[in-house]
Structure formats: structure tokens, C-alpha cells
Amino acid sequence: MSGDTGNHARRSAVEWLASAAPDPGTCRWEWERNPLGVALLPAGRVWDVLVLSSGLGYPTLDVLSRCTDRLGPVLADFGDSRMGFFVPPGTAAGWLATGVRGAGLGSWVVVPHPGRHTSGVRWVVPPDGTGTLTDPAALELAMHEAAADRPGDFTVREADPPG
């Protein structure tokens, strides 16, 4: 990505993520002044987050990366023990899978500034600024494939459709 294109994408990603906040200006202020470079944003309006253990998350991300070029943002927590896949709002409410937690309406997510390195939560796949989210059906299929490669480690059940 050229410098101008990269800066524009980062600004767009900041604006898109901040749009989830009750006060986008405060969110941007937090990112600029918080020594950790993070802000607390509500899930459920612009996106939900499905949280997987990294043992399932990284293999799932690998499968998704081979199957689609429209991958939504993905976070990893401090220590890489969990990964959060950004999916359409409403997905978390109907998602049923052992070991998968959903952050939807009423949940808050620690989100780092896109384009900055932080010492805690970090982007594995940063937001692209267009609002692209991971397709829940593709995520579910990728989880099944990743879990099939590690029998006995995971149980993945079908999700109920949002709504």
C-alpha cells in the first residue's frame, strides 16, 4: 500500500470503528491519549465479535484466508490466548458453539487504534475502512474445517441465524 493509500485506509478504519462509539470524538481522543492506545467500544450496533481460543482461532483464520478475500477485522488479546472475529451485528445472539463467546448488544470490546502498535490487544487483520465484516457462514465452515484437523479438541455446533 502506498503511503497516501495506507494513511487514507487508516483514517477510514478509525472513522468506521469510532462510529460504533456513543461519542466518536471521545473514542478518537481516547486512542490519541490513552497510553495503551485502546478504546472501549460497544458491540452490537456496527459489528459483533466472536471470540475463539487461539488454538482454534489461528487455524480458522488460516482456512478463511485461503477461502475468501473479504475477511473482516480480527483481534488477538495480550498473550495471543484469544482471537476476536468481527461479524455482522446480531450474529453473537444466535451463535452456539462450545468454547466460542459472543460479544453482541450490551457487550463492550477493547479495541486498539488501527495502524498503531500496542502492547496488549492487537490487530491480526486490521479493519480496512470499508466496513468489511467476516461472513458468519464462512466463519462457521472454516471453524469446522479447522476443528476437523484437530479431532477431540473442539465441538462446533451450527449457529441459529440472527434475527
Side-chain angles (χ1 to χ4, degrees):
M1 213 184 288
S2 75
D4 260 358
T5 305
N7 288 336
H8 177 68
R10 241 185 321 279
R11 279 192 306 275
S12 296
V14 166
E15 295 308 314
W16 176 72
L17 286 168
S19 73
D23 180 354
T26 299
C27 174
R28 288 188 298 274
W29 185 90
E30 277 291 316
W31 275 327
E32 295 299 324
R33 288 164 184 82
N34 182 317
L36 299 176
V38 298
L40 195 57
L41 295 177
R45 197 176 118 239
V46 177
W47 36 259
D48 283 359
V49 179
L50 294 179
V51 181
L52 288 64
S53 72
S54 60
L56 178 59
Y58 278 108
T60 298
L61 180 59
D62 183 50
V63 171
L64 276 171
S65 296
R66 289 181 306 202
C67 298
T68 183
D69 58 351
R70 294 200 34 88
L71 189 59
V74 180
L75 288 173
D77 71 352
F78 179 74
D80 270 355
S81 62
R82 291 181 300 257
M83 295 177 70
F85 291 78
F86 281 55
V87 294
T91 302
W95 196 272
L96 299 172
T98 302
V100 178
R101 295 178 50 201
L105 198 57
S107 301
W108 292 78
V109 179
V110 174
V111 178
H113 185 288
R116 292 214 180 108
H117 295 287
T118 62
S119 60
V121 177
R122 65 181 178 82
W123 292 110
V124 177
V125 177
D128 63 8
T130 67
T132 299
L133 298 167
T134 298
D135 174 45
L139 178 61
E140 183 176 2
L141 290 172
M143 288 172 59
H144 280 286
E145 185 173 326
D149 290 342
R150 300 175 66 156
D153 285 353
F154 310 104
T155 303
V156 179
R157 297 182 303 173
E158 275 188 38
D160 293 331

